[in-house]
């Protein structure tokens, strides 16, 4: 009886270990599927919504893809920016894009046409975020501009002073979060007119390049190879985890959330996939297939998309 019991315990332990460490259960396939008809220059930015994937490149072009096909098929292209497209936000049939040409452009995706050019930044627009009837644009001119989307064309309501390059923005409800090359995350209360900084979150020691959030958690990625997790249910938000240095080869360039996964680009030709339900998050697998630096990632439904300096976009299934 003792021998049988020992055998049962050993078998159970072995099965559990195998299940939790099998990388094949994370991505199918690990090297993804290449999208055809891709860009002719490095692809820098991605956004998804309303059945569309949008990609922006260093030549100023934006491609719009049909997400009902796998891999997605190219629907049409938009031209208007004349330098790098660094950031994109999709909201229904509207697309917002920010560029090195210092402009934010508004597009009607249903009509496949430009709507407005929002000028005012005096340097590259690196980040965009949308919440309610407000659009936020972050620039390398040490400002964040707040746009009223109830107006056509949108008008700037406030110009917020935020030192350095504003590389990353995230917004939800009454709060705006910003990060840049002064190594801090700022929490803005947008109910004030103009918005005011409620908290300054310290702990990173390098430039912050990316932010991603859920209802209760904020993730910030920096060039120090690490990601920090902040508890938004505390005031001020508290850092609960710092992770990533063992799996990332370089600075954290882009973050994306999809179900239980946190997806991270890290100055290499692969993408790191983490299980964010553990504390700290646990590394699962690298998404491979690109042959040069991966710039951005986005999750749409059960699929992960990545874009690269190699001019391509790849699709990975998160459900095997």
């Amino acid at each position: 009886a003792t021998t049988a019991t020992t055998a049962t315990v050993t078998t159970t332990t072995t099965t559990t270990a195998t299940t939790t460490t099998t990388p094949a259960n994370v991505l199918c396939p690990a090297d993804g599927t290449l999208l055809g008809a891709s860009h002719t220059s490095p692809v820098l930015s991605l956004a998804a919504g309303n059945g569309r994937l949008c990609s922006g490149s260093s030549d100023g072009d934006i491609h719009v893809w049909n997400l009902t096909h796998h891999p997605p098929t190219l629907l049409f292209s938009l031209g208007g920016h004349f330098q790098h497209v660094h950031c994109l936000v999709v909201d229904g049939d509207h697309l917002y894009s920010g560029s090195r040409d210092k402009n934010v452009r508004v597009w009607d995706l249903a009509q496949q046409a430009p709507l407005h050019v929002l000028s005012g930044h005096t340097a590259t627009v690196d980040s965009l975020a949308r919440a309610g009837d407000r659009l936020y644009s972050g620039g390398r001119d040490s400002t964040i501009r707040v746009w009223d989307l109830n107006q056509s064309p949108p008008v700037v309501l406030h110009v917020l002073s935020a030192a350095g390059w504003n590389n990353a923005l995230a917004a939800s409800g009454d709060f705006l979060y910003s990060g840049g090359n002064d190594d801090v995350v700022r929490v803005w209360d947008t109910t004030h007119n103009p918005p005011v900084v409620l908290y300054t979150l310290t702990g990173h020691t390098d430039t912050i390049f990316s932010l991603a959030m859920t209802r209760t958690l904020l993730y910030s990625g920096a060039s120090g190879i690490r990601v920090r997790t902040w508890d938004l249910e505390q005031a001020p938000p508290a850092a609960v985890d710092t992770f990533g240095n063992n799996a990332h080869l370089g600075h954290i360039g882009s973050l994306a959330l999809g179900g239980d996964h946190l997806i991270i680009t890290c100055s290499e030709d692969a993408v790191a996939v983490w299980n964010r339900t553990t504390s700290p998050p646990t590394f699962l697998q690298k998404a491979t297939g690109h042959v040069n630096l991966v710039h951005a990632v986005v999750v749409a439904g059960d699929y992960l998309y990545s874009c690269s300096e190699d001019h391509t976009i790849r699709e990975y299934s998160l459900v095997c």
Side-chain angles (χ1 to χ4, degrees), residues 19-37:
T19 301
T20 57
T21 59
T22 303
N25 290 334
V26 181
L27 297 172
C28 300
D31 60 353
T33 303
L34 185 67
L35 275 62

Side-chain angles (χ1 to χ4, degrees), residues 169-278:
L169 295 175
S172 180
D174 295 334
F175 299 100
L176 170 69
Y177 306 88
S178 65
N181 63 351
D182 60 356
D183 310 344
V184 301
V185 176
R186 290 183 174 83
V187 184
W188 304 78
D189 183 344
T190 61
T191 64
H192 287 255
N193 190 15
V196 297
V197 175
L198 276 183
Y199 310 113
T200 299
L201 310 183
T202 60
H204 284 293
T205 57
D206 295 280
T207 297
I208 296 168
F209 285 102
S210 50
L211 298 171
M213 65 183 299
T214 68
R215 185 180 61 84
T216 60
L217 295 173
L218 175 72
Y219 299 91
S220 56
S223 57
I225 317 178
R226 295 194 177 196
V227 177
R228 294 178 74 87
T229 309
W230 308 88
D231 182 354
L232 298 181
E233 295 187 306
Q234 298 189 47
V240 293
D241 290 315
T242 302
F243 62 96
N245 57 309
N246 293 327
H248 303 150
L249 298 184
H251 75 255
I252 309 302
S254 177
L255 300 175
L257 298 170
D260 293 339
H261 298 116
L262 174 64
I263 319 297
I264 301 173
T265 69
C266 41
S267 295
E268 59 174 315
D269 57 5
V271 177
V273 182
W274 293 75
N275 176 5
R276 67 181 187 86
T277 65
T278 62

